[in-house]
Amino acid sequence: MNAEINEILQRDLSVKARAEALNALGKRYADRQDTEAAILCWEKSVECYGKPGFAQAQLMKAYNAKRRACSQAGDGAGVEHYSVKIDALMQQSKDAIRYGF
């Protein structure tokens, strides 16, 4: 895992503040076209906070972009991998809305 992510996770922050810090770091990575690091930040944010919001929206965009790139490259395993991630993210969002997680 990335040292910057670890540093945020080690800080004595509230859950919401930790998620916001991870989201901001993910945005900086995305702005630098480092999609893998951005995805990792947003996945950690979702693990910390778990509620629908910025991280889920950004992950959905990133996963769709990765799935599209895999499809264009003929990488069926990659398409399946990101399709599963998208489905899980959608289910998590539905559960959060339905059950108030």
Side-chain angles (χ1 to χ4, degrees), residues 6 20 22-23 31 42 53 64 71 82 85:
N6 276 333
E20 288 172 356
L22 288 165
N23 290 343
D31 290 345
W42 294 324
N64 274 314
S71 177
Y82 286 105
K85 286 187 166 282

Side-chain angles (χ1 to χ4, degrees), residues 50-66:
K51 296 180 182 177
F54 180 83
Q56 285 87 345
Q58 297 308 306
L59 277 173
M60 189 63 72
K61 289 179 196 174
Y63 289 162
N64 274 314
K66 291 294 236 174

